Amino acid sequence: MEEVLALVEARLRTALGEPDARAAVTFLGTDRIEVLRFTEGDVVRYATLGMSAQPMTDPTAALADPVKGPRAELLLTVRAGLADTDKVLRPLAVLAASPQVEGVVVAAGASLDLGEPLWPGAPFSSVLVAESGGLVEDLELDEPRDPVRFLPLLPMTPNEAAWKRVHGAQALQERWLNAGTDLRDPLRRSVTLD
């Protein structure tokens, strides 16, 4: 577990530079989750560290495999200075702990809902999990372990989350793209949905 997290942190540092802040959260019955903050110009990136220590297990599986299974960490990128986004640390840790707490497998296309704003005054209470392999490359581990995927989170307004449930993740991402939506804007409004 420690070896995996050391490799994950090294990959994050290689891709994003040195973190300028970090916080740790431990929930009852779960491993410790850290959230690292990387600031680059007018952009702030938050990355979880700890979610990938154990493989995620299908909740219908009779036994949890301690070695095989998908592993991931979460990434959130926002524009700096427009909102108090540093308060997203605990909500991000909650999302990163959800595989251990709720037995969910977090994968691209999934929605994760907090039921409260991502940070004070945020118009978002849920996120869309995007494809890995962009900002931070997947981290290959020794067989038979699955690679660690670094999954970007795209904040969704309640209307966008409801629309995504009906039409799917791909359709929502196309709406954002066609509207030229700045998904890094922590104050953005919902994209036009009809």
Side-chain angles (χ1 to χ4, degrees), residues 64-148:
D65 190 319
V67 178
K68 289 187 65 66
R71 295 174 189 257
E73 295 292 352
L74 306 175
L75 299 169
L76 176 68
T77 303
V78 293
R79 297 222 177 279
L82 301 176
D84 190 9
T85 57
D86 278 351
K87 297 282 198 289
V88 78
L89 302 178
R90 184 170 176 75
L92 272 181
V94 167
L95 295 177
S98 62
Q100 290 181 57
V101 175
E102 298 172 25
V104 298
V105 175
V106 177
S111 297
L112 302 175
D113 194 337
L114 284 160
E116 62 184 48
L118 287 174
W119 52 83
F124 320 106
S125 59
S126 61
V127 293
L128 175 64
V129 181
E131 292 288 338
S132 67
L135 187 62
V136 182
E137 288 183 33
D138 294 347
L139 174 65
E140 297 295 329
L141 300 175
D142 294 335
E143 290 291 336
R145 296 184 293 186
D146 289 23
V148 176

